[in-house]
Amino acid sequence: MEFTEELSHQRKSDQDRAAILANPGFGDFFTDHTAVIDWTASEDGVTGTWDNARVEPYGPISLDPAASVLHYGQEIFEGLKAYRHADGSIWTFRPYANAARLNRSAERLALPQLDEEAFVESLRRLVKADVEWVPSGDGEALYLRPFMIATEAFLGVRAAREVSFRVIASPAGNYFGGELKPVGIWVSHHYARAGRGGTGAAKCGGNYAASLVAQLEAEQNGCKQVLFLDPFNDEAVEELGGMNVFFVMKGGKLVTPRLTGTILEGVTRSSIIQLAKDRGMEVEERTITLGEWRAGIASGDIEEVFACGTAAVITPIGVLKNGEEHIGNPEAPAGEVTMALRTELLGIQTGVVADRHGWLEKLA
């Protein structure tokens, strides 16, 4: 797919960009450009054509008030990072896995499939245009947000016949800010992130919108994230508002909830499973309940718990707040296995550890 390029005449100055990169936060600032590809359906309303691939100045999107995305939430997105290596080159981590997941999400939301090479090329073109925005600080990266939205102006309930795929980018520091230390997690008993047969395995905005009221509850109780359970399966642990969960068991086994269709298959999750197996660890994907979490912490059968995702990479969990009950120790240090896996994964992403699985893709 050929991309055209229209560079912005209103780029941030070197001074303004440097001030942003000195304290980027997460998702607070955006680069000067965006990558875009448009899709239009054929007469059958099912097949169609991607065209008009371009890089253009970052700015507001013009949408008709009747655009399908505004009424029926027909949209999906992805998240991945671009890292500056020691030689100045820019690399991203497993972009084809993100491209494949985008297409799985698209199938569930009745959106068109995008060629994986076009997906990766859109990242490459955007990073090339905004290469000065990629930070070089410890734990910092350029967060890439590809997304697909239904743009057709039509109020009938059917799949849209006009769609836009876009990529924006934001310099990113530590997701939870400051020094890495175990976080507190709030257990939600009143809300569900997704239901059986729903969109839990897709990365779509509706799942996150459904999680926000529970996230507010978590913050009101001094927690960084919220844990969702399956109340119809003995309070089985599913995932956090935006991350998967892992347990390090006594004896070294790594356990994570199995994918049931209500849990997002994280790229970081699958990478951790592979790295753990490389270390000779037994990895088990199975149902694990809130009761087992409670009993395992009390008995010592669960030695470490951590969360993982693109934004936070790997973050240790210190305490689980279940109403007035606290499971774990908020003052406990991060676990040895947790930090070893985090160090290795970040090392691969930043180019200081050998990429033996061929996960890295050079962007610039």
Side-chain angles (χ1 to χ4, degrees):
M1 185 174 291
E2 295 295 325
F3 279 74
T4 61
E5 189 176 83
E6 177 194 349
L7 296 182
S8 173
H9 297 296
Q10 297 180 322
R11 298 191 192 192
K12 291 282 194 303
S13 67
D14 291 345
Q15 182 179 3
D16 288 344
R17 187 174 60 252
I20 291 171
L21 293 181
N23 185 25
F26 189 90
D28 297 323
F29 305 97
F30 299 93
T31 65
D32 296 307
H33 297 91
T34 180
V36 188
I37 314 175
D38 298 321
W39 181 85
T40 304
S42 303
E43 289 186 4
D44 62 11
V46 178
T47 60
T49 304
W50 289 101
D51 61 9
N52 196 21
R54 61 201 185 274
V55 171
E56 63 185 26
Y58 181 94
I61 300 173
S62 178
L63 283 176
D64 191 287
S68 298
V69 67
L70 302 177
H71 299 270
Y72 306 123
Q74 197 184 5
E75 66 81 44
I76 55 176
F77 67 97
E78 275 297 322
L80 60 167
K81 289 178 176 178
Y83 297 86
R84 187 179 296 277
H85 288 191
D87 64 357
S89 60
I90 311 300
W91 300 73
T92 192
F93 182 75
R94 303 190 69 183
Y96 289 96
N98 289 95
R101 187 173 65 181
L102 180 90
N103 280 331
R104 293 195 298 272
S105 298
E107 182 178 16
R108 181 62 183 85
L109 272 293
L111 288 162
Q113 300 287 292
L114 177 68
D115 180 76
E116 291 183 7
E117 293 294 342
F119 176 95
V120 175
E121 184 64 16
S122 70
L123 307 180
R124 187 175 285 112
R125 291 298 184 121
L126 179 57
V127 168
K128 180 182 177 182
D130 288 331
V131 69
E132 297 92 347
W133 281 92
V134 183
S136 57
D138 184 36
E140 296 180 343
L142 184 68
Y143 183 78
L144 303 172
R145 170 53 63 86
F147 61 101
M148 192 186 294
I149 60 174
T151 56
E152 182 186 8
F154 181 78
L155 295 183
V157 183
R158 61 160 170 78
R161 295 173 180 171
E162 293 176 8
V163 170
S164 178
F165 169 79
R166 294 171 176 262
V167 187
I168 57 176
S170 173
N174 189 305
Y175 185 71
F176 290 118
E179 179 185 355
L180 179 71
K181 54 185 178 180
V183 297
I185 305 296
W186 177 255
V187 180
S188 176
H189 289 282
H190 303 293
Y191 304 104
R193 173 185 167 274
R196 297 181 186 182
T199 58
K203 196 168 178 67
C204 62
N207 295 341
Y208 292 80
S211 76
L212 296 180
V213 64
Q215 178 65 32
L216 286 174
E217 190 177 75
E219 293 170 1
Q220 291 165 0
N221 285 276
C223 293
K224 295 286 189 180
Q225 269 284 337
V226 59
L227 172 72
F228 292 101
L229 306 171
D230 181 352
F232 303 105
N233 187 20
D234 198 25
E235 294 192 315
V237 172
E238 295 216 308
E239 64 173 275
L240 306 186
M243 291 179 281
N244 296 117
V245 185
F246 280 87
F247 301 85
V248 181
M249 314 300 285
K250 186 177 181 180
K253 181 192 293 184
L254 194 64
V255 174
T256 191
R258 67 182 180 90
L259 301 175
T260 60
T262 58
I263 297 174
L264 183 69
E265 184 178 358
V267 175
T268 306
R269 174 188 183 275
S270 64
S271 303
I272 290 168
I273 289 173
Q274 182 60 61
L275 293 180
K277 289 179 178 179
D278 292 348
R279 291 167 171 262
M281 297 177 67
E282 181 183 354
V283 180
E284 189 175 6
E285 298 178 66
R286 64 168 174 84
T287 298
I288 183 166
T289 66
L290 177 62
E292 183 180 354
W293 190 337
R294 176 190 295 112
I297 292 294
S299 67
D301 287 340
I302 296 176
E303 295 184 336
E304 304 174 30
V305 188
F306 64 85
C308 70
T310 298
V313 188
I314 293 177
T315 297
I317 295 175
V319 64
L320 186 67
K321 294 185 179 180
N322 183 34
E324 295 299 317
E325 177 190 24
H326 289 190
I327 301 170
N329 179 4
E331 303 303 322
E336 182 178 338
V337 174
T338 298
M339 294 310 294
L341 287 169
R342 176 183 167 84
T343 298
E344 183 177 13
L345 182 57
L346 270 175
I348 294 170
Q349 292 170 338
T350 56
V352 299
V353 172
D355 175 25
R356 58 185 177 275
H357 294 291
W359 285 339
L360 295 179
E361 183 76 19
K362 189 174 182 179
L363 297 180

